[in-house]
mmCIF file of all heavy atoms in Angstrom:
data_model
loop_
_atom_site.group_PDB
_atom_site.id
_atom_site.type_symbol
_atom_site.label_atom_id
_atom_site.label_comp_id
_atom_site.label_asym_id
_atom_site.label_seq_id
_atom_site.Cartn_x
_atom_site.Cartn_y
_atom_site.Cartn_z
ATOM 1 N N CYS A 393 -3.213 8.616 -7.861
ATOM 2 C CA CYS A 393 -3.145 10.061 -7.647
ATOM 3 C C CYS A 393 -4.249 10.734 -8.467
ATOM 4 O O CYS A 393 -4.513 10.360 -9.615
ATOM 5 C CB CYS A 393 -1.774 10.587 -8.071
ATOM 6 S SG CYS A 393 -1.571 12.370 -7.880
ATOM 7 N N ASP A 394 -4.920 11.753 -7.870
ATOM 8 C CA ASP A 394 -6.016 12.444 -8.540
ATOM 9 C C ASP A 394 -5.536 13.509 -9.526
ATOM 10 O O ASP A 394 -6.359 14.172 -10.145
ATOM 11 C CB ASP A 394 -6.937 13.087 -7.489
ATOM 12 C CG ASP A 394 -7.920 12.068 -6.948
ATOM 13 O OD1 ASP A 394 -8.791 11.625 -7.714
ATOM 14 O OD2 ASP A 394 -7.806 11.700 -5.768
ATOM 15 N N ASN A 395 -4.218 13.656 -9.640
ATOM 16 C CA ASN A 395 -3.693 14.560 -10.658
ATOM 17 C C ASN A 395 -3.652 13.809 -11.992
ATOM 18 O O ASN A 395 -2.910 12.831 -12.132
ATOM 19 C CB ASN A 395 -2.289 15.031 -10.276
ATOM 20 C CG ASN A 395 -1.690 15.947 -11.326
ATOM 21 O OD1 ASN A 395 -2.378 16.419 -12.232
ATOM 22 N ND2 ASN A 395 -0.388 16.199 -11.196
ATOM 23 N N PRO A 396 -4.444 14.224 -12.993
ATOM 24 C CA PRO A 396 -4.473 13.488 -14.268
ATOM 25 C C PRO A 396 -3.142 13.499 -14.993
ATOM 26 O O PRO A 396 -2.908 12.662 -15.861
ATOM 27 C CB PRO A 396 -5.556 14.223 -15.079
ATOM 28 C CG PRO A 396 -5.633 15.589 -14.477
ATOM 29 C CD PRO A 396 -5.335 15.410 -13.018
ATOM 30 N N ASP A 397 -2.237 14.436 -14.653
ATOM 31 C CA ASP A 397 -0.938 14.524 -15.300
ATOM 32 C C ASP A 397 0.171 13.893 -14.471
ATOM 33 O O ASP A 397 1.363 14.094 -14.767
ATOM 34 C CB ASP A 397 -0.585 15.989 -15.587
ATOM 35 C CG ASP A 397 -1.584 16.639 -16.537
ATOM 36 O OD1 ASP A 397 -2.073 15.937 -17.434
ATOM 37 O OD2 ASP A 397 -1.884 17.842 -16.354
ATOM 38 N N CYS A 398 -0.180 13.157 -13.449
ATOM 39 C CA CYS A 398 0.834 12.539 -12.575
ATOM 40 C C CYS A 398 1.636 11.519 -13.389
ATOM 41 O O CYS A 398 1.070 10.621 -14.014
ATOM 42 C CB CYS A 398 0.164 11.847 -11.391
ATOM 43 S SG CYS A 398 1.347 11.020 -10.284
ATOM 44 N N PRO A 399 2.975 11.619 -13.399
ATOM 45 C CA PRO A 399 3.783 10.696 -14.211
ATOM 46 C C PRO A 399 3.824 9.285 -13.644
ATOM 47 O O PRO A 399 4.087 8.341 -14.372
ATOM 48 C CB PRO A 399 5.178 11.344 -14.189
ATOM 49 C CG PRO A 399 5.202 12.143 -12.924
ATOM 50 C CD PRO A 399 3.798 12.633 -12.710
ATOM 51 N N ILE A 400 3.569 9.119 -12.347
ATOM 52 C CA ILE A 400 3.643 7.795 -11.725
ATOM 53 C C ILE A 400 2.257 7.162 -11.631
ATOM 54 O O ILE A 400 2.058 6.007 -11.965
ATOM 55 C CB ILE A 400 4.285 7.892 -10.328
ATOM 56 C CG1 ILE A 400 5.699 8.468 -10.456
ATOM 57 C CG2 ILE A 400 4.321 6.532 -9.652
ATOM 58 C CD1 ILE A 400 6.402 8.666 -9.140
ATOM 59 N N GLU A 401 1.295 7.904 -11.128
ATOM 60 C CA GLU A 401 -0.133 7.555 -11.130
ATOM 61 C C GLU A 401 -0.534 6.562 -10.038
ATOM 62 O O GLU A 401 -1.497 6.776 -9.335
ATOM 63 C CB GLU A 401 -0.537 7.020 -12.505
ATOM 64 C CG GLU A 401 -2.049 6.903 -12.684
ATOM 65 C CD GLU A 401 -2.429 6.474 -14.077
ATOM 66 O OE1 GLU A 401 -1.535 6.047 -14.836
ATOM 67 O OE2 GLU A 401 -3.623 6.560 -14.411
ATOM 68 N N TRP A 402 0.193 5.471 -9.879
ATOM 69 C CA TRP A 402 -0.194 4.458 -8.888
ATOM 70 C C TRP A 402 0.852 4.351 -7.794
ATOM 71 O O TRP A 402 2.059 4.399 -8.061
ATOM 72 C CB TRP A 402 -0.362 3.099 -9.566
ATOM 73 C CG TRP A 402 -1.616 3.004 -10.369
ATOM 74 C CD1 TRP A 402 -1.801 3.406 -11.659
ATOM 75 C CD2 TRP A 402 -2.873 2.501 -9.921
ATOM 76 N NE1 TRP A 402 -3.094 3.169 -12.046
ATOM 77 C CE2 TRP A 402 -3.780 2.606 -11.005
ATOM 78 C CE3 TRP A 402 -3.337 1.958 -8.729
ATOM 79 C CZ2 TRP A 402 -5.102 2.195 -10.921
ATOM 80 C CZ3 TRP A 402 -4.647 1.533 -8.638
ATOM 81 C CH2 TRP A 402 -5.508 1.663 -9.729
ATOM 82 N N PHE A 403 0.386 4.148 -6.527
ATOM 83 C CA PHE A 403 1.283 4.119 -5.373
ATOM 84 C C PHE A 403 0.845 3.033 -4.399
ATOM 85 O O PHE A 403 -0.356 2.815 -4.195
ATOM 86 C CB PHE A 403 1.300 5.481 -4.661
ATOM 87 C CG PHE A 403 1.750 6.611 -5.534
ATOM 88 C CD1 PHE A 403 0.855 7.254 -6.385
ATOM 89 C CD2 PHE A 403 3.071 7.028 -5.523
ATOM 90 C CE1 PHE A 403 1.269 8.297 -7.198
ATOM 91 C CE2 PHE A 403 3.496 8.074 -6.335
ATOM 92 C CZ PHE A 403 2.586 8.703 -7.176
ATOM 93 N N HIS A 404 1.831 2.364 -3.795
ATOM 94 C CA HIS A 404 1.538 1.404 -2.737
ATOM 95 C C HIS A 404 1.185 2.154 -1.444
ATOM 96 O O HIS A 404 1.777 3.194 -1.151
ATOM 97 C CB HIS A 404 2.743 0.498 -2.474
ATOM 98 C CG HIS A 404 3.239 -0.218 -3.695
ATOM 99 N ND1 HIS A 404 4.415 0.112 -4.330
ATOM 100 C CD2 HIS A 404 2.696 -1.234 -4.397
ATOM 101 C CE1 HIS A 404 4.592 -0.673 -5.365
ATOM 102 N NE2 HIS A 404 3.556 -1.500 -5.442
ATOM 103 N N PHE A 405 0.248 1.628 -0.697
ATOM 104 C CA PHE A 405 -0.158 2.268 0.560
ATOM 105 C C PHE A 405 1.050 2.522 1.461
ATOM 106 O O PHE A 405 1.218 3.603 2.014
ATOM 107 C CB PHE A 405 -1.176 1.381 1.278
ATOM 108 C CG PHE A 405 -2.600 1.678 0.886
ATOM 109 C CD1 PHE A 405 -2.898 2.196 -0.361
ATOM 110 C CD2 PHE A 405 -3.643 1.440 1.775
ATOM 111 C CE1 PHE A 405 -4.196 2.473 -0.728
ATOM 112 C CE2 PHE A 405 -4.954 1.710 1.415
ATOM 113 C CZ PHE A 405 -5.227 2.233 0.161
ATOM 114 N N ALA A 406 1.890 1.486 1.635
ATOM 115 C CA ALA A 406 2.999 1.606 2.589
ATOM 116 C C ALA A 406 4.002 2.678 2.168
ATOM 117 O O ALA A 406 4.591 3.350 3.017
ATOM 118 C CB ALA A 406 3.708 0.254 2.723
ATOM 119 N N CYS A 407 4.179 2.866 0.855
ATOM 120 C CA CYS A 407 5.174 3.822 0.374
ATOM 121 C C CYS A 407 4.747 5.266 0.593
ATOM 122 O O CYS A 407 5.592 6.171 0.596
ATOM 123 C CB CYS A 407 5.464 3.584 -1.102
ATOM 124 S SG CYS A 407 6.251 1.986 -1.446
ATOM 125 N N VAL A 408 3.451 5.499 0.727
ATOM 126 C CA VAL A 408 2.953 6.869 0.939
ATOM 127 C C VAL A 408 2.316 7.005 2.320
ATOM 128 O O VAL A 408 1.498 7.882 2.560
ATOM 129 C CB VAL A 408 1.954 7.264 -0.168
ATOM 130 C CG1 VAL A 408 2.671 7.441 -1.490
ATOM 131 C CG2 VAL A 408 0.832 6.245 -0.312
ATOM 132 N N ASP A 409 2.684 6.087 3.229
ATOM 133 C CA ASP A 409 2.252 6.150 4.633
ATOM 134 C C ASP A 409 0.725 6.124 4.773
ATOM 135 O O ASP A 409 0.137 6.900 5.537
ATOM 136 C CB ASP A 409 2.809 7.403 5.326
ATOM 137 C CG ASP A 409 4.328 7.389 5.383
ATOM 138 O OD1 ASP A 409 4.900 6.292 5.517
ATOM 139 O OD2 ASP A 409 4.944 8.472 5.279
ATOM 140 N N LEU A 410 0.073 5.239 4.042
ATOM 141 C CA LEU A 410 -1.374 5.075 4.148
ATOM 142 C C LEU A 410 -1.703 3.673 4.637
ATOM 143 O O LEU A 410 -1.011 2.709 4.314
ATOM 144 C CB LEU A 410 -2.051 5.296 2.783
ATOM 145 C CG LEU A 410 -2.047 6.718 2.211
ATOM 146 C CD1 LEU A 410 -2.712 6.715 0.841
ATOM 147 C CD2 LEU A 410 -2.777 7.688 3.141
ATOM 148 N N THR A 411 -2.742 3.587 5.424
ATOM 149 C CA THR A 411 -3.253 2.288 5.846
ATOM 150 C C THR A 411 -4.677 2.064 5.345
ATOM 151 O O THR A 411 -5.112 0.926 5.197
ATOM 152 C CB THR A 411 -3.231 2.168 7.383
ATOM 153 O OG1 THR A 411 -3.955 3.276 7.951
ATOM 154 C CG2 THR A 411 -1.793 2.196 7.900
ATOM 155 N N THR A 412 -5.405 3.160 5.105
ATOM 156 C CA THR A 412 -6.760 3.092 4.551
ATOM 157 C C THR A 412 -6.914 4.166 3.486
ATOM 158 O O THR A 412 -6.111 5.097 3.404
ATOM 159 C CB THR A 412 -7.830 3.305 5.645
ATOM 160 O OG1 THR A 412 -7.610 4.584 6.258
ATOM 161 C CG2 THR A 412 -7.758 2.207 6.697
ATOM 162 N N LYS A 413 -7.947 4.048 2.681
ATOM 163 C CA LYS A 413 -8.191 5.051 1.644
ATOM 164 C C LYS A 413 -8.634 6.362 2.282
ATOM 165 O O LYS A 413 -9.582 6.384 3.070
ATOM 166 C CB LYS A 413 -9.281 4.554 0.689
ATOM 167 C CG LYS A 413 -8.863 3.347 -0.120
ATOM 168 C CD LYS A 413 -10.012 2.873 -0.990
ATOM 169 C CE LYS A 413 -9.628 1.623 -1.755
ATOM 170 N NZ LYS A 413 -10.739 1.099 -2.571
ATOM 171 N N PRO A 414 -7.975 7.458 1.957
ATOM 172 C CA PRO A 414 -8.371 8.749 2.542
ATOM 173 C C PRO A 414 -9.662 9.260 1.922
ATOM 174 O O PRO A 414 -10.034 8.884 0.812
ATOM 175 C CB PRO A 414 -7.191 9.662 2.188
ATOM 176 C CG PRO A 414 -6.627 9.073 0.940
ATOM 177 C CD PRO A 414 -6.814 7.582 1.055
ATOM 178 N N LYS A 415 -10.338 10.136 2.665
ATOM 179 C CA LYS A 415 -11.556 10.745 2.155
ATOM 180 C C LYS A 415 -11.205 11.902 1.232
ATOM 181 O O LYS A 415 -10.228 12.609 1.444
ATOM 182 C CB LYS A 415 -12.424 11.239 3.314
ATOM 183 C CG LYS A 415 -12.938 10.126 4.225
ATOM 184 C CD LYS A 415 -13.799 10.685 5.335
ATOM 185 C CE LYS A 415 -14.315 9.580 6.261
ATOM 186 N NZ LYS A 415 -15.151 10.118 7.352
ATOM 187 N N GLY A 416 -12.044 12.105 0.227
ATOM 188 C CA GLY A 416 -11.792 13.185 -0.710
ATOM 189 C C GLY A 416 -10.677 12.842 -1.683
ATOM 190 O O GLY A 416 -10.260 11.692 -1.804
ATOM 191 N N LYS A 417 -10.212 13.860 -2.376
ATOM 192 C CA LYS A 417 -9.166 13.644 -3.364
ATOM 193 C C LYS A 417 -7.822 13.427 -2.679
ATOM 194 O O LYS A 417 -7.559 13.971 -1.609
ATOM 195 C CB LYS A 417 -9.087 14.821 -4.338
ATOM 196 C CG LYS A 417 -10.293 14.932 -5.261
ATOM 197 C CD LYS A 417 -10.079 16.028 -6.297
ATOM 198 C CE LYS A 417 -11.246 16.076 -7.278
ATOM 199 N NZ LYS A 417 -11.033 17.099 -8.333
#
């Protein structure tokens, strides 16, 4: 996550409905 204060910080692609890296933040 691009939020420097995010308490979790790291996420699996499948858990956040991603298949590829999104563009931008």
Side-chain angles (χ1 to χ4, degrees):
C393 179
D394 277 293
N395 179 12
D397 298 325
C398 178
I400 300 177
E401 192 176 12
W402 285 85
F403 300 84
H404 305 108
F405 270 28
C407 295
V408 290
D409 297 326
L410 291 178
T411 55
T412 58
K413 294 177 183 178
K415 296 181 180 180
K417 291 186 176 182

